[in-house]
Amino acid sequence: MRMTDWPEASTGDNRGGRYGRGSASARPESARVMRQVRRGQAPPPGPGPSAPPYGGSVPQQPSYVDGRGHGGQDTYDSGYNTGQVYGSPGGRGGSGPGPGPGGPGPGRPAPDWRRRIKWTAITVVTALVVTTVGTYFWADSKLNHEVDLSKVIERPGAGEGTNYLIVGSDSREGMTAEQKKDLHTGSAEGKRTDSMMILHTGDNGSTLISLPRDSDVEIPSFVGSESGKKYEGTGRRVKLNAAYAEDGPELLVRTIEHNTGLRLDHYVEIGFAGFANIVDAVGGVEMDIPQDIKDPKSGADLKKGKQTLNGEDALAFVRTRYALAGSDLDRTKNQQKFLSALASQVATPSTVLNPFKLYPTMGAGLDSLIVDKDMGLFDLAGMFWAMKSVSGGDGTSMNMPVSGSVGGNLRWDDAKVKQLVEQLKNDEKVTVKGN
């Protein structure tokens, strides 16, 4: 069928009917029936105005005036009859109810903060536990459990509190020729003790007692740490550091216990290199030097006053005795001051809470420590906290009481030593004064 076959239709301006500019009865464009959108209640259903006829064969179209269409039947709802607009509250994509009059929509759920906080806390705690456990096993694996105190015979009975024997040796193991030169250690073979201290911890504070290396002591009967052979005592008297040189830590413990009557629960030893490495790892230790010190033998060249000592200067400071009026007795006092200051520095938040400082410090210290087989990390931590308390004024530091000297060796004051040992055994406050 051609376009011209439609009734009353024609090309150009003559279109017939009542439409268009060329219609016989011209009617304005605005008079056309348009689809309307009304707000509020729709009018009652009923037939609307008829669409203009296109011809006899064109069916009449339904009206949209009522907003429903299709003869007023509720078969289609465009959503426009209520005036709602997409994206507005109450429409699709809005924050209110979903499409349809008063219909609930799937709003965005509010965040469950309790659940988020709970899982965050669980994650943090789990990470801390894993890190702590991992650090513990890493650190424990670095401890050198080389000393077997079960080889020590005829031991005194245990008392209250805990007693640590802390030994600084002149071991040069693992040091290069350049390190020996820088640290002024020399190249002597073997190792000897440069310092010995007893640290007692208990309910009445901590007590740090230095044992001068030149102390006059008796070598008792003992069992060789390597040979297992028993050597009977002959009453032989030597300097205390000779016991270590003769058969190592086990004979040193045996000799101290025999001459004091005090049982030693744990043994801790550190060499030259390890000592210097710990000081450097912690960033140096601040000390108040009481006097100018210049000692070519130890390498010390220090000025009086407050200053931060690095590893090299710290080692020279604790080894110096020839430049001091009290020689070995003054040296032991300096050693006590420095070790207490070092323990305080290690225990500061700036070290403990800084993994970039804590782990190097732990690594440097644990690699160089020699301990007894029964000593664990908690025992070691307890020792450091006790030394820190001594530095903070909550404990006592002293030298073993001395009554004089015999042949260049320092004789202990037997009466005072006996009283001191009894107070330590009973975990009483120490009232005995040392030198």
Side-chain angles (χ1 to χ4, degrees):
M1 178 184 292
R2 294 176 300 173
M3 292 295 291
T4 55
D5 293 334
W6 288 93
E8 300 181 18
S10 64
T11 59
D13 291 336
N14 186 16
R15 299 188 181 184
R18 292 176 293 178
Y19 287 109
R21 296 184 181 86
S23 62
S25 58
R27 187 176 181 181
E29 292 282 342
S30 60
R32 296 180 183 176
V33 178
M34 304 295 290
R35 179 178 175 179
Q36 300 180 24
V37 178
R38 294 187 180 182
R39 298 182 182 272
Q41 185 175 0
S50 300
Y54 287 90
S57 62
V58 178
Q60 186 177 8
Q61 300 299 310
S63 171
Y64 287 84
V65 174
D66 61 353
R68 300 176 183 268
H70 298 284
Q73 300 299 318
D74 192 10
T75 58
Y76 174 76
D77 185 359
S78 66
Y80 287 95
N81 61 330
T82 60
Q84 295 174 352
V85 180
Y86 285 85
S88 65
R92 299 179 189 176
S95 59
R108 183 178 180 180
D112 189 347
W113 289 109
R114 287 187 177 181
R115 188 168 180 272
R116 291 186 181 185
I117 293 173
K118 180 184 76 172
W119 283 107
T120 299
I122 291 175
T123 302
V124 171
V125 171
T126 301
L128 288 175
V129 170
V130 171
T131 301
T132 302
V133 172
T135 299
Y136 176 86
F137 284 105
W138 167 78
D140 188 64
S141 68
K142 284 183 167 293
L143 281 177
N144 301 306
H145 297 88
E146 297 181 8
V147 179
D148 188 358
L149 295 182
S150 66
K151 295 179 180 179
V152 180
I153 62 174
E154 301 177 21
R155 308 192 67 186
E160 300 294 329
T162 304
N163 299 312
Y164 300 86
L165 177 61
I166 304 171
V167 174
S169 75
D170 64 359
S171 172
R172 298 157 178 84
E173 184 177 353
M175 296 177 64
T176 65
E178 184 178 359
Q179 287 176 316
K180 293 176 183 179
K181 180 180 178 181
D182 292 341
L183 298 176
H184 302 273
T185 63
S187 300
E189 296 296 328
K191 58 181 182 179
R192 287 152 290 277
T193 53
D194 256 23
S195 61
M196 291 158 284
M197 302 179 190
I198 295 175
L199 174 65
H200 173 83
T201 64
D203 295 334
N204 286 290
S206 301
T207 303
L208 186 62
I209 307 164
S210 287
L211 309 176
R213 56 177 284 176
D214 294 339
S215 296
D216 184 74
V217 294
E218 178 187 353
I219 298 293
S221 301
F222 69 96
V223 172
S225 59
E226 297 294 335
S227 66
K229 179 181 177 181
K230 185 174 182 179
Y231 298 89
E232 295 294 340
T234 61
R236 177 166 53 103
R237 302 193 71 87
V238 297
K239 291 182 178 181
L240 181 58
N241 66 337
Y244 182 95
E246 186 172 332
D247 197 51
E250 288 83 3
L251 180 55
L252 178 62
V253 170
R254 168 72 176 130
T255 302
I256 293 174
E257 289 185 343
H258 174 77
N259 284 268
T260 62
L262 182 69
R263 185 185 181 96
L264 302 175
D265 300 294
H266 292 295
Y267 178 93
V268 182
E269 177 186 330
I270 188 168
F272 282 164
F275 180 85
N277 289 340
I278 292 176
V279 175
D280 286 335
V282 83
V285 177
E286 185 178 78
M287 286 291 297
D288 189 358
I289 308 298
Q291 65 184 70
D292 291 346
I293 300 176
K294 192 172 182 62
D295 183 2
K297 290 185 177 293
S298 68
D301 187 6
L302 305 170
K303 300 297 181 182
K304 179 180 179 180
K306 285 187 177 182
Q307 54 199 283
T308 298
L309 303 182
N310 60 21
E312 180 181 339
D313 291 335
L315 183 59
F317 175 69
V318 298
R319 293 180 61 217
T320 293
R321 63 170 175 163
Y322 294 105
L324 305 176
S327 188
D328 202 32
L329 292 177
D330 282 349
R331 177 170 70 168
T332 56
K333 294 177 182 178
N334 286 342
Q335 291 170 348
Q336 289 179 350
K337 291 178 183 178
F338 185 85
L339 289 180
S340 296
L342 175 60
S344 296
Q345 179 67 28
V346 171
T348 58
S350 63
T351 299
V352 175
L353 300 180
N354 183 354
F356 297 102
K357 184 179 287 187
L358 175 62
Y359 284 96
T361 301
M362 291 178 64
L366 297 174
D367 277 339
S368 57
L369 287 180
I370 296 175
V371 300
D372 65 90
K373 293 184 179 298
D374 294 328
M375 186 156 187
L377 287 177
F378 289 109
D379 299 310
L380 191 61
M383 184 191 79
F384 269 97
W385 281 108
M387 293 184 68
K388 182 179 183 296
S389 70
V390 172
S391 175
D394 295 331
T396 302
S397 59
M398 58 184 291
N399 275 322
M400 186 66 84
V402 174
S403 61
S405 63
V406 177
N409 296 348
L410 297 175
R411 290 291 302 269
W412 292 349
D413 188 319
D414 293 338
K416 287 186 176 181
V417 169
K418 182 178 180 180
Q419 183 183 1
L420 172 62
V421 170
E422 286 300 315
Q423 290 177 343
L424 295 178
K425 279 187 174 181
N426 298 325
D427 195 24
E428 300 173 352
K429 187 170 181 61
V430 172
T431 58
V432 177
K433 302 297 181 183
N435 296 82

